Amino acid sequence: MDFVTLLQVLDSTVRLATPLLLACLAGLFSERAGIFDIGLEGKMLAAAFFSAAIAAITGDVWMGLGAGILASLALSVLHGLASITFRGNQLISGVAINFLAAGLTVLIAQDWFSQGGRTPSLIGAGRFEAITLPGVEAVAGIPLIGPIYAELISGHSILVYVAFAMVPLTWWLLYRTRFGLRLRAVGEAPEAVDTAGISVVGLRYVAVGICGVLCGIAGAYLATALQAGFVKDMTAGRGFIALAALIFAKWRPWYALYACLLFGLLQAVALRYQNIDLGAFIVPVQFMDALPYILTVVILAGFVGKAIPPRAGGEPYVKER
């Protein structure tokens, strides 16, 4: 593999890791507060549809981004009502959200656009364009540094930079602020937080809301930056891979970044190298497409070790009287 090819693979890795990273950080906030959320997939899917649909109708990608975030937030509120207010089973609520989003997006898309569950292709101001960072031309002639800056660091949409900026921001919020301390405490010992006079329900709703915003950005990125419109089930299991990355990262922000880059690399390799000729046999394209999901299971089974989730995760809190 030459240097140019390596840069192209790494560039694809960054683009493909971005929605995983946003969804992984979304799950991190929610699960750190004690609310397990396997509905990340459904929230991303709903956000992808509404962001693409509104962007196609208005021609404004920022309107689309706002619509995607609102759609994801609506599902987050639904999950919060089911699991926090009514103390229902969090896993069942997440599964219901996934099915609800999968069905509604196609139904509404067909009703609005009559294109078989798709939205019209986004062009111009209807999608996020790549941003050229300052100084690209100045360093273009410098060996090694120039191509890395021009091809790998520069040239991404604004949502890519937002996703990577969220990693240190999340770390700072969780480990350097009073809010983060309380959020982590809610996931470990909600009774202690309640004893201190802090609302457990309120903090958990805030965490679920942050989860909704990040999932909304992730879904909008898929439909308005990574691709140019919505197609049926376009999330393709990314919400579940994000959950796997979260477990692999053991609910830590920086480890989540590394895990998502790893899964993004697996997807980039699978997309670039298909029908590989190994001499004795040819690796079929179907195997390469399934490779990221296969390796997800292998990594979780063999390399994670003992991942201990937040102690109060998945359990509704009942205030003592």
Side-chain angles (χ1 to χ4, degrees):
M1 182 186 296
D2 58 23
F3 182 63
V4 174
T5 303
L6 177 61
L7 277 182
Q8 292 173 347
V9 171
L10 293 178
D11 181 70
S12 297
T13 297
V14 170
R15 297 175 191 273
L16 293 169
T18 295
L20 298 179
L21 180 58
L22 287 165
C24 187
L25 293 176
L28 177 64
F29 276 102
S30 182
E31 297 196 8
R32 276 289 190 174
I35 303 298
F36 288 163
D37 191 354
I38 63 172
L40 300 178
E41 178 88 358
K43 294 173 187 175
M44 289 173 65
L45 191 61
F49 167 70
F50 281 101
S51 61
I54 299 303
I57 293 170
T58 64
D60 187 342
V61 70
W62 292 102
M63 292 285 289
L65 175 62
I69 292 175
L70 287 176
S72 180
L73 270 174
L75 292 180
S76 289
V77 170
L78 184 63
H79 182 57
L81 285 172
S83 58
I84 301 173
T85 301
F86 297 111
R87 302 168 188 161
N89 187 290
Q90 297 173 11
L91 299 182
I92 293 176
S93 174
V95 171
I97 286 174
N98 289 336
F99 281 114
L100 180 65
L104 277 182
T105 51
V106 176
L107 182 66
I108 299 174
Q110 179 62 22
D111 181 63
W112 285 4
F113 304 107
S114 300
Q115 295 187 10
R118 296 171 174 262
T119 62
S121 295
L122 302 177
I123 57 174
R127 62 173 309 196
F128 287 103
E129 300 291 346
I131 297 174
T132 301
L133 297 180
V136 169
E137 294 182 0
V139 302
I142 302 176
L144 193 64
I145 297 176
I148 290 176
Y149 183 71
E151 301 294 333
L152 183 58
I153 300 176
S154 179
H156 299 287
S157 72
I158 189 172
L159 296 185
V160 173
Y161 300 111
V162 168
F164 281 83
M166 280 301 303
V167 177
L169 179 59
T170 298
W171 175 85
W172 179 77
L173 278 175
L174 288 179
Y175 296 102
R176 290 294 183 270
T177 66
R178 182 178 297 177
F179 167 75
L181 176 63
R182 291 173 174 176
L183 189 74
R184 289 183 287 124
V186 164
E188 295 291 342
E191 64 281 353
V193 175
D194 192 23
T195 302
I198 301 167
S199 172
V200 173
V201 170
L203 274 173
R204 286 186 167 179
Y205 265 109
V206 170
V208 167
I210 295 173
C211 174
V213 171
L214 292 177
C215 280
I217 299 174
Y221 172 80
L222 283 174
T224 61
L226 189 63
Q227 299 184 36
F230 173 84
V231 296
K232 178 183 177 182
D233 295 331
M234 71 180 304
T235 47
R238 286 181 173 89
F240 299 110
I241 293 180
L243 282 175
L246 182 59
I247 298 171
F248 187 37
K250 299 183 178 180
W251 294 271
R252 298 177 183 177
W254 287 106
Y255 290 176
L257 171 62
Y258 308 143
C260 290
L261 285 174
L262 173 60
F263 289 122
L265 177 62
L266 296 177
Q267 289 183 328
V269 170
L271 288 173
R272 185 171 185 85
Y273 298 100
Q274 300 186 352
N275 289 329
I276 300 176
D277 189 353
L278 298 179
F281 62 93
I282 297 177
V283 179
V285 62
Q286 291 83 0
F287 177 81
M288 294 305 297
D289 288 339
L291 183 61
Y293 305 97
I294 295 172
L295 292 183
T296 297
V297 176
V298 172
I299 289 171
L300 285 176
F303 297 96
V304 173
K306 189 175 183 180
I308 302 176
R311 188 174 63 86
E315 296 295 329
Y317 178 67
V318 181
K319 185 179 180 69
E320 295 184 0
R321 299 185 183 277

